[in-house]
Amino acid sequence: MDRTVGLKVGDRLQLKKNHPCGSSVFTVTRVGADIKLMCEGCSHEVFLERSVLSSRIKKVL
């Protein structure tokens, strides 16, 4: 099941693993072949492939 279908810029995601800063909540800032996320704890930006992100999403907030 692909959980990245229907994601929009501004969606908040809770991922299964925490970011090193301790936060597990990320905001979607770009959607395309890769998805750009911004950590809500430290504002670090991360690019993830759709297939990788799909397996790491715990829930959409």
Side-chain angles (χ1 to χ4, degrees):
M1 178 170 89
D2 189 9
R3 296 179 179 183
T4 61
V5 173
L7 282 181
K8 305 179 298 289
V9 173
D11 284 349
R12 296 175 66 226
L13 307 175
Q14 182 176 11
L15 301 185
K16 292 178 181 174
K17 292 184 179 179
N18 289 343
H19 190 252
C21 74
S23 176
S24 64
V25 179
F26 290 79
T27 303
V28 177
T29 56
R30 180 181 171 275
V31 177
D34 295 330
I35 296 180
K36 186 175 181 182
L37 303 173
M38 184 177 70
C39 175
E40 290 193 0
C42 65
S43 300
H44 184 82
E45 293 182 331
V46 180
F47 275 100
L48 291 176
E49 293 179 12
R50 283 182 175 267
S51 59
V52 174
L53 180 61
S54 180
S55 65
R56 292 188 184 180
I57 293 175
K58 188 171 187 178
K59 66 178 166 181
V60 179
L61 302 175

